[in-house]
Amino acid sequence: MTDTNKQYDEVIAQCRKMFISKMGDYGPNWRILRPQTLTDQILIKAKRIRTIEINGESKVGEDIWPEFVGIINYGIMELIQLDKGYSEEVDMTQEQVTLLYDQFINDTKMLMIAKNTDYGEAWRMMRNQSYTDMILSKLQRIKEIENHGGKTLVSEGIDANIQDIINYAAFALIKHNESLQ
């Protein structure tokens, strides 16, 4: 029996470590980015994953797994931006951002646990390329919502779609890690 919560935490620990390392290099300079720009950054990563999945090779010699880490970290950035708004300058310390990272990843994990219970871990039966396709589909939804000023009639908002994207990327990384064992 696998322990999804433990595996999720291990994947997120890797993502968090990368996030903090990059913040050590650049600071939280992404605070100036509007949420739409972060949506596009996630789109670029997901399109690269899909292209490599289809073509079977990477021309720059990097595999797809760091891209899933990037999707998770850009997703957390977007959740922060949606909650706090973007800034004209860097307005948070690395410590403040790290606390927000932990808060938003915890909220996202709680959503995963709830859905994982309701769906009976159906994600484990999915093919890896399906995670990519679901991420791209969610990004199209987000872009439509953004084009409508962030308003929906009956659908989930941008934040819920971003949380789903983060969780699909985490599932892909969990399954990848399992394949290495």
Side-chain angles (χ1 to χ4, degrees), residues 117-132:
T117 300
D118 287 352
Y119 288 94
E121 295 211 329
W123 65 271
R124 290 191 179 275
M125 295 179 268
M126 292 172 63
R127 296 175 188 99
N128 279 346
Q129 63 267 26
S130 294
Y131 301 127
T132 307

Side-chain angles (χ1 to χ4, degrees), residues 56-107:
E57 68 176 330
S58 165
K59 295 292 186 185
V60 296
E62 296 174 357
D63 64 27
I64 62 175
W65 307 111
E67 300 296 359
F68 283 109
V69 171
I71 287 171
I72 289 170
N73 287 339
Y74 277 119
I76 294 298
M77 289 178 211
E78 185 160 354
L79 290 173
I80 292 170
Q81 297 300 72
L82 289 167
D83 185 63
K84 302 296 181 192
Y86 67 92
S87 178
E88 294 299 323
E89 57 189 38
V90 176
D91 63 345
M92 290 184 185
T93 65
Q94 293 180 23
E95 293 77 22
Q96 291 169 315
V97 169
T98 302
L99 288 172
L100 289 169
Y101 185 102
D102 293 342
Q103 172 193 326
F104 283 104
I105 202 63
N106 185 60
D107 292 348

Side-chain angles (χ1 to χ4, degrees), residues 36 82 142-152 158:
Q36 298 87 339
L82 289 167
I142 291 168
K143 288 175 73 163
E144 282 296 316
I145 295 168
E146 288 171 345
N147 291 341
H148 294 110
K151 299 193 182 349
T152 60
I158 294 170

Side-chain angles (χ1 to χ4, degrees), residues 18-34:
M18 179 61 70
F19 184 88
I20 290 171
S21 293
K22 287 198 174 199
M23 199 166 41
D25 289 343
Y26 309 126
N29 66 350
W30 51 267
R31 284 288 297 137
I32 67 168
L33 300 177
R34 292 171 282 189

